[in-house]
Amino acid sequence: MDVGISTLEALHHSSKGRLKYDRKWSETAKNLKTMLDECTSPPVLSLKLYTKNTVVNGVPELGSEAHNSRSDIEEDPPPGSRERSIDEISYTVSSGSTHDNTPELDIIISPKGCQIEMAIKEYESLWEKKAKSASRKRHEEQDRMLLMLHREAQMKLNELNLRKDREAETSLSKVQKVSHARSQEVLERQQRLKEHHNRHAKMLDNKMREGEAIRLQLEEEERKKQEEIEANLDAMFKTLSELKKMNDTASQSYSSCQFKQYIPENTPRCLELMSQIVTNVNNIIAQCQNKQIEATTGRVKNVQEYCTQATNVFEFVTGSVDKANKKGKEELDKKKQQEEQKQQEELRQKQLQQQQVAAARLQAEQASTSSANAQASAVAAAATAAPEEMLCAPPQAYEAYIRLREKVKDVEKLYQPLMGDPRLKKFRFDMQKAVNIPVNAISPTSGAHLRDKLERLCALLSGNAVDISSKRLSAGEHPSGIPYCKDLLARKVVKQGEEQVSSNYESAFAIAMVAVGVCCQFPDVRDLMLAQFHLKCPYIVPYYIPKEQGQSTEEYHKALGYQYVDGAVEQQDKFLKRMSGIIRLYAAVIISAPPRGVGQQHPHGLEHAWIWLTNVLNLEPRPDITATLLYDFLQVTGNELLRNYRKQFEKLLHILCTDYIAKIHRVTPSGSGGPVVRLETFLETCLKKKSIPPPAGLLQANFWFT
């Protein structure tokens, strides 16, 4: 390690090691001067140091020190010696040491050294001028070079910009060419697409026409098929009705036969076979109606074959029963003849006895004659009393009234389990909505609207599923559901009369048309509806209900149709208004056309209007109510009655205007003759003009098809 360090120090003190490198040497004149001094300084002058002890005879003595000093001068000066200028050297330095042992030194410089020093300074200044001139030229040359380089760079930049502009123009022209080519291609493609679209549109149009033709053809085929199916169904229904009649006739004849011992043993089996045939035909028709199978001609042939078999069985059963009856009657006749012969013999034997009791028989005959006369007188008294009791209602109308009331009670018994089960409250509420919503929505908007409401009600009463508050329910889910819905519908229709029709007379006809459509498909609904009409307005019977013994005034008023609110009976004008709404709805039902037009049988036709008028005229009138109902009823049905019963109806109006009005006047209290005056004015106008205008809002038969 010591050897390495000494080597580094020796190199550091060498001539090259003492050189200094400065990259910015030319920036300042001081540095430049220092560098030039270092580079161009002459060799160090040898100085001889003399001590006082070495001077001999005024001349320094050269000894070992002189020799050492020469060797030191000849060696490289120490670092930093060249930086010192000769001007800085003192010619004489003498100083006394504070120490006694320090010798005084005398430096003696040679005159030639001064000349050399001057020459060196001149040389240095010369080189300094040369260096400055060279530096200035160098700077000028650099400026020229920079200017030239700037110009060249500007020229190259201009060339580069020109080249870029040319390239941009070239690329732009290429892009324009490509864009033009693409636009041409797009136009050609659009043209091809347009042509393809036109061809495709023509092809689709042709296909649509073909499809439309096929659709029309299919619809025509479907229509013919439906007509054929309907015709086949009608034929099967007719066959079924014939089969049922034959089955019922055969069963009745067999059950009523008093001589079954003479009937062949296989007759009951034949009756079972007939019942089975009826069941099979009924199942076939039901499957055809539910569209499980088609009502084709083959099905009709099968039903006819069943009918042929049933006819053969029927003829066999009826023939067997007739033979048995004939044979039994013959046996009875024989027995009767034998008994008669026995009786004759007995009579011959008892002739003597008969003569003895002849007197007793004569007395018995006289007693029987007197009792018969008493019975005849009692019957005559009852006959005279009966008209007074039946003045409140015609006998036939009263019987129909009682029969309908009994039917309502029977229907109420059918759905009594439904009403008594609290778990079925939600079901009852849904059924009420299913009835009330279509009935409340009935309006004379169009025939399609009425058909929609009719179909919904008929579907409900048939047990099919209907939409009720976003869910599908069926009245057939409960055994009592359908009777309950039928009774609800009858009540709701009559309620519309006293609530809606009483305020808007024209609304009666739309409700009546739907009611007629329902009654055409469900005759039992007609009976329930008539019963509700009689219950709400007994004058439709006509029935002037008498007050019974022990009956309170409130009960009697309610029986007459009055309503009680907070314990008080309603006012007379409100009562007459409600009765007008009900009688107008009833009259509208009579004259409204069924859904299939005049060709369909009306469930409660115009003949009932004639019957009601004649029944009313055969009764004694009542104050207010009789005149009001006659006026409303004639205003609705008068046009149809006059058109169908021309002469007879004119005579009836004449009797009404001349005789019956006088009766009404006699029973009408003073101050309440408004209904009578209105009726009398209406009748006089009709007789004078010999015509009755149709009622406002009447819907014709063709309205069903609008």
Side-chain angles (χ1 to χ4, degrees), residues 165-220:
D165 292 341
R166 292 193 193 97
E167 290 177 356
E169 290 177 358
T170 305
S171 62
L172 180 61
S173 63
K174 289 181 179 179
V175 169
Q176 289 178 350
K177 289 180 181 179
V178 171
S179 176
H180 181 69
R182 287 183 179 177
S183 62
Q184 290 293 332
E185 183 180 354
V186 168
L187 290 174
E188 292 176 358
R189 185 177 179 183
Q190 288 181 350
Q191 187 66 25
R192 289 195 301 272
L193 288 174
K194 187 175 181 180
E195 293 175 357
H196 177 71
H197 176 72
N198 292 333
R199 290 195 302 272
H200 190 64
K202 290 180 181 179
M203 181 179 66
L204 288 177
D205 188 33
N206 293 332
K207 286 185 178 181
M208 288 179 65
R209 290 179 180 176
E210 293 176 359
E212 184 67 18
I214 294 172
R215 185 183 67 81
L216 293 174
Q217 183 179 359
L218 291 175
E219 287 182 355
E220 183 66 21

Side-chain angles (χ1 to χ4, degrees), residues 460-478:
L460 177 68
L461 300 183
S462 299
N464 299 329
V466 295
D467 294 326
I468 304 171
S469 300
S470 69
K471 58 183 178 181
R472 294 184 65 81
L473 295 175
S474 172
E477 294 178 4
H478 192 275

